[in-house]
Amino acid sequence: MLNQGIGSWPARRARKTPHRVAVVHEDRTWTYRELHERVVRLAHALRTLGVARGDRVAYLGPNHPAFLETLFATGALGAVFVPLNTRLPAPELAYNLADSGSTVLVHGPEQAPAARAAADEAGTRHRIALAGPEEAEALGYEELLAGAGTGPLDERVAPEDPCMIMYTSGTTGRPKGAVLSHANITWNSVNVLVDTELSGDEVTLVVAPLFHTAGLNMTCLPTLLKGGRVVLLGSFDAERVLDVIEELRVTYMFAVPTMYDAMAARPRFASADLSSLRTLNCGGAPVPGRTIAAYLDRGLAFSQGYGMTEASPGILFLDREQASAKAGSAGVPHFFTDTRVVLGDGSDAAAGDPGEILVHGPHVMTGYWERPDDTAAALTEDGWLHTGDVARLDAEGYAYIVDRVKDMFVSGGENVYPAEVEAALLTHPDIAECAVVGVPDPVWGEVGRAVVVLKPGAHADEANILGRLHGRLAKYKIPKSLTVTADLPRTASGKIIKPAVRERYATDAAERTRP
């Protein structure tokens, strides 16, 4: 085949294991042959809309077979896939569409209002609605496939060609698009296959959002590459997940700690039939000891990891055999991954000393979409990626994440960058300055806390200030609490000292929010 990218995977699987089930969604199943046939039809349909090599096609919707069909069809044309976060409001979606220059947006029925507003603002030429056109401007997904061609497609696509743009919030307040090549995605999948020992009879439950790199690249795509089946759930419900594990004999799944905690909190958890599970992968946030213990009591252990979108995302991995002995560790590098922990002068940190994690490997992004300065800041000349996270290594080389170079915190598996939230807060007419920090939360791991200085004579309260953020920011980015102060700690040059803000306000907040 001329196509060496992931757009060729359905065709390659269809010739190798055509009758195996590839995808399960609700009460329907698709074999690899059926998946391939639908991908070909969609690729022809996209081509009739003018999609050509290098063009961008966006997708907005929950986990659904159409997500995968759009990804593969886009790759079959040599175009670039842009998954969008369904939790973002229309203005943020419009920015991602405009920044990527997406010419087509495929979306689910529930996302229609946001999709319409975002596409109009961004000037996206075509919208394709999964449930059929409910208005004149949208094309019907199934109608397009039914009328599309079925002839073979084999565009020349090289491993180094761009495959997808995954947006990750930036510290400057605007998202950046990490460009992942076909080789990046493939090598990440190979790392997963080696380190988690996935097999061809795998039944993988995909309940984490596919628009996130872990849900897509750590679970779904490696399973399809191996020829297993993926079970797609459109949303997380702890009771439903337990049902699906029992009914479909799920062998592998990924979730963030809050999901696993919700499952363990169900009354039936102690008696649920979990005997089919071979691998539980957990990431997105540190795994609490109580969570590990709850699953160990059921005879199950977590494979934990650390990664980031820019690395497709796998960087470190702690297999289940070490889950207890190395509790709290993010593990060691994936098989085809190299890492360093470095001090400020670029030298390697000694065991036990904290330093920034650098990562190198064939899965590290090619750069940020149309952001050469940001790319140069993130990637060294010889291809090492600055993660912005601080870790220490123990004597055996296991890494422990201890801090962040940047101010980002993780809330329920979602990265929250304070600069973006602070920029939104500063649009309030009564706020003179502000800082946002993460504070401990028993459910979400961390949530935002806003510390604001009001303008002279202003009297805005918490409800008024935070209420204005709804519709401007995704819900998980909106701080859960706020305090008003007379001033913020600053350096001599006038910069806000974030560590001092955390020490003064986050500790106090944590004391008050402890159960």
Side-chain angles (χ1 to χ4, degrees):
M1 291 184 184
L2 297 176
N3 191 327
Q4 300 178 56
I6 72 168
S8 71
W9 288 10
R12 296 175 187 275
R13 267 290 148 204
R15 74 184 181 187
K16 194 173 186 67
T17 55
H19 302 298
R20 278 191 196 171
V21 173
V23 180
V24 180
H25 179 252
E26 295 178 348
D27 297 325
R28 292 194 59 189
T29 62
W30 289 260
T31 65
Y32 278 97
R33 173 177 290 163
E34 290 168 331
L35 175 62
H36 169 54
E37 291 170 351
R38 288 178 62 83
V39 166
V40 169
R41 284 182 176 274
L42 180 57
H44 279 289
L46 291 174
R47 179 175 279 174
T48 63
L49 295 178
V51 175
R53 176 182 302 276
D55 290 340
R56 278 75 64 200
V57 176
Y59 183 96
L60 177 67
N63 293 356
H64 189 279
F67 181 106
L68 299 175
E69 293 166 0
T70 306
L71 165 63
F72 289 129
T74 301
L77 296 175
V80 184
F81 182 64
V82 184
L84 299 175
N85 190 330
T86 59
R87 301 177 68 179
L88 298 180
E92 293 188 67
L93 293 171
Y95 175 84
N96 291 355
L97 288 172
D99 184 71
S100 63
S102 294
T103 58
V104 176
L105 171 60
V106 182
H107 64 83
E110 294 181 357
Q111 286 70 43
R116 185 186 311 113
D120 287 347
E121 182 177 341
T124 303
R125 291 203 298 266
H126 302 288
R127 282 193 299 115
I128 303 175
L130 296 189
E134 296 183 2
E135 73 256 64
E137 296 85 0
L139 302 168
Y141 185 87
E142 292 297 334
E143 289 82 356
L144 278 177
L145 264 66
T150 59
L153 289 168
D154 192 16
E155 291 287 334
R156 188 179 296 278
V157 177
E160 62 271 17
D161 287 344
C163 173
M164 66 178 74
I165 300 172
M166 300 198 86
Y167 277 89
T168 177
S169 295
T171 57
T172 59
R174 281 296 194 181
K176 294 179 290 188
V179 180
L180 305 179
S181 69
H182 292 272
N184 292 157
I185 303 300
T186 300
W187 279 106
N188 183 82
S189 294
V190 171
N191 271 341
V192 174
L193 294 181
V194 172
D195 289 340
T196 63
E197 301 179 3
L198 294 187
S199 66
D201 67 350
E202 213 70 55
V203 179
T204 298
L205 177 59
V206 182
V207 65
L210 284 172
F211 56 72
H212 275 325
T213 183
L216 179 60
N217 296 340
M218 294 299 290
T219 53
C220 186
L221 290 183
T223 301
L224 294 175
L225 176 59
K226 189 65 177 177
R229 70 177 66 184
V230 294
V231 180
L232 302 179
L233 288 186
S235 61
F236 175 77
D237 176 84
E239 196 71 23
R240 176 61 178 150
V241 168
L242 293 173
D243 285 341
V244 171
I245 291 172
E246 291 183 338
E247 295 169 6
L248 300 184
R249 307 300 295 162
V250 170
T251 61
Y252 175 44
M253 68 175 289
F254 168 88
V256 298
T258 53
M259 293 179 177
Y260 283 119
D261 285 340
M263 292 164 58
R266 303 302 302 166
R268 62 180 284 204
F269 178 74
S271 60
D273 182 3
L274 307 179
S275 60
S276 62
L277 287 169
R278 298 192 291 243
T279 305
L280 292 177
N281 203 346
C282 191
V287 186
R290 68 178 187 276
T291 307
I292 295 173
Y295 284 82
L296 283 175
D297 288 346
R298 289 300 324 270
L300 301 166
F302 289 110
S303 298
Q304 302 176 47
Y306 159 80
M308 61 191 305
T309 300
E310 291 88 337
S312 301
I315 298 175
L316 300 169
F317 188 74
L318 180 70
D319 62 39
R320 54 185 177 272
E321 285 78 10
Q322 296 293 328
S324 296
K326 296 292 185 178
S329 170
V332 297
H334 276 285
F335 193 85
F336 288 105
T337 304
D338 294 306
T339 61
R340 296 175 61 203
V341 175
V342 301
L343 303 176
D345 61 4
S347 63
D348 291 328
D353 291 340
E356 184 188 4
I357 306 169
L358 303 187
V359 58
H360 188 278
H363 53 93
V364 171
M365 70 171 183
T366 63
Y368 291 112
W369 177 255
E370 296 188 339
R371 288 176 177 255
D373 291 343
D374 287 327
T375 298
L379 292 171
T380 66
E381 291 185 0
D382 52 354
W384 287 87
L385 171 68
H386 286 274
T387 67
D389 290 315
V390 175
R392 62 177 176 81
L393 300 177
D394 67 14
E396 297 174 288
Y398 284 79
Y400 294 77
I401 310 298
V402 295
D403 202 352
R404 300 181 178 101
V405 174
K406 302 170 185 176
D407 296 319
M408 181 268 290
F409 59 92
V410 180
S411 183
E414 298 275 4
N415 292 349
V416 181
Y417 288 83
E420 182 182 13
V421 184
E422 290 159 359
L425 283 168
L426 288 173
T427 64
H428 194 290
D430 293 331
I431 294 178
E433 55 186 9
C434 65
V436 173
V437 295
V439 301
D441 183 84
V443 175
W444 303 110
E446 292 176 287
V447 295
R449 180 172 182 80
V451 183
V452 305
V453 176
L454 298 179
K455 294 178 180 178
H459 301 286
D461 59 14
E462 177 174 316
N464 173 267
I465 293 173
L466 299 184
R468 283 172 54 97
L469 299 181
H470 290 278
R472 297 175 61 90
L473 294 174
K475 188 176 179 181
Y476 67 85
K477 298 179 183 180
I478 299 175
K480 297 296 186 290
S481 60
L482 178 144
T483 189
V484 176
T485 186
D487 55 49
L488 292 169
R490 294 181 177 275
T491 64
S493 62
K495 293 182 179 180
I496 296 174
I497 307 173
K498 278 293 181 71
V501 176
R502 288 193 201 95
E503 183 177 0
R504 182 183 303 177
Y505 298 102
T507 303
D508 177 60
E511 291 293 332
R512 292 202 301 269
T513 57
R514 284 177 183 167

